Amino acid sequence: MQRLLVTVVALIALVAGVVIYNNLPKPQPKALVYDPPRTLQPFVLESSLGHNVSNANLEGQWTLLFTGYTFCPDICPTTMADLRQVLPKLKQYTDTPVKVWMISVDPQRDNVKRVSDYAGFFGDEFVGIRAEHPQLYPFVNDLGLMYSIPEEGETDYLVNHSAAIVLVNPAGHRQAIFKAEHIIGEIPTVSMEQLATDFSIIAPTFH
């Protein structure tokens, strides 16, 4: 009888524990998560893969997209290096490949070879993307990002561009956007620690 009583008490405690756990507030990502994920308008862009890419090339993988350019003095190389460091951690949260697309917003100076060499320096998971402004601007705008266009005839210039990173899910839809941190005296960059934490929450929920 005593053994039965102990068993019943243990079962009650187990059920109570499950109920309490299920009612605990679930961790929420700090990134802006699109619910439902947003489709991307059709696009065709040049890439470092040796062929043009379109929406279909975003399917079957998680893709981190950000704007940059090979002459960028600070945000771009910092972000690329940070992403290279965090990629192994991101892969722990998914069985699906994780890729990075660096979208050049300087078509005047960044040809396919330049973006290919630049992206290739950081690893096989990095893809360099480029296009002329008529194809590039609608794509970047559709991502919710922006960039500036230099005055005609300029040859030595900086390109102002978004520092945020967009996450595209394996269905090829925008899943989230990681905003850059703006700290006085420092260049605006996305916190890789927070990105990894958010990805650990977002990735397992994708079906």
Side-chain angles (χ1 to χ4, degrees), residues 62-64 165-169 173-176 178 199 202:
W62 288 99
T63 315
L64 297 160
I165 297 173
V166 174
L167 177 66
V168 173
N169 66 32
H173 301 153
R174 279 187 298 160
Q175 184 76 43
F178 306 100
F199 188 78
I202 295 168

Side-chain angles (χ1 to χ4, degrees), residues 48 80 83-84 87 99-101 119-120 122-128:
S48 60
M80 292 285 273
L83 285 170
R84 179 171 59 181
L87 272 179
K99 303 290 184 179
V100 176
W101 280 19
F122 293 93
D124 294 338
E125 296 94 346
F126 289 78
V127 180

Side-chain angles (χ1 to χ4, degrees), residues 100-145:
V100 176
W101 280 19
M102 194 284 284
I103 305 153
S104 172
V105 288
D106 186 13
Q108 181 171 306
R109 294 180 294 187
D110 281 349
N111 55 30
V112 172
K113 185 179 186 312
R114 280 196 68 91
V115 297
S116 297
D117 291 345
Y118 190 82
F121 174 80
F122 293 93
D124 294 338
E125 296 94 346
F126 289 78
V127 180
I129 302 293
R130 76 158 314 274
E132 297 301 319
H133 290 301
Q135 293 77 42
L136 178 66
Y137 183 82
F139 176 66
V140 171
N141 187 60
D142 193 31
L143 292 175
L145 305 177

Side-chain angles (χ1 to χ4, degrees), residues 31-142:
L32 171 60
V33 178
Y34 299 112
D35 187 18
R38 300 185 180 181
T39 58
L40 284 170
Q41 295 298 313
F43 66 84
V44 176
L45 309 167
E46 296 176 83
S47 81
S48 60
L49 298 173
H51 56 77
N52 288 349
V53 292
S54 64
N55 302 68
N57 295 96
L58 289 171
E59 297 174 5
Q61 63 187 42
W62 288 99
T63 315
L64 297 160
L65 300 88
F66 78 101
T67 51
Y69 62 112
T70 64
F71 287 87
C72 179
D74 41 39
I75 295 174
C76 309
T78 299
T79 300
M80 292 285 273
D82 287 348
L83 285 170
R84 179 171 59 181
Q85 290 289 326
V86 82
L87 272 179
K89 189 171 185 179
L90 301 186
K91 292 175 182 178
Q92 296 175 9
Y93 304 121
T94 178
D95 293 328
T96 307
V98 183
K99 303 290 184 179
V100 176
W101 280 19
M102 194 284 284
I103 305 153
S104 172
V105 288
D106 186 13
Q108 181 171 306
R109 294 180 294 187
D110 281 349
N111 55 30
V112 172
K113 185 179 186 312
R114 280 196 68 91
V115 297
S116 297
D117 291 345
Y118 190 82
F121 174 80
F122 293 93
D124 294 338
E125 296 94 346
F126 289 78
V127 180
I129 302 293
R130 76 158 314 274
E132 297 301 319
H133 290 301
Q135 293 77 42
L136 178 66
Y137 183 82
F139 176 66
V140 171
N141 187 60
D142 193 31

Side-chain angles (χ1 to χ4, degrees), residues 26-33 64 82-83 85-87 89-90 93 165 167 176-183 189-204:
K26 299 295 187 292
Q28 297 296 317
K30 291 188 177 180
L32 171 60
V33 178
L64 297 160
D82 287 348
L83 285 170
Q85 290 289 326
V86 82
L87 272 179
K89 189 171 185 179
L90 301 186
Y93 304 121
I165 297 173
L167 177 66
I177 184 166
F178 306 100
K179 299 291 184 67
E181 294 181 328
H182 292 268
I183 301 172
T189 55
V190 172
S191 165
M192 293 296 136
E193 181 179 353
Q194 188 60 53
L195 185 150
T197 298
D198 288 351
F199 188 78
S200 73
I201 299 169
I202 295 168

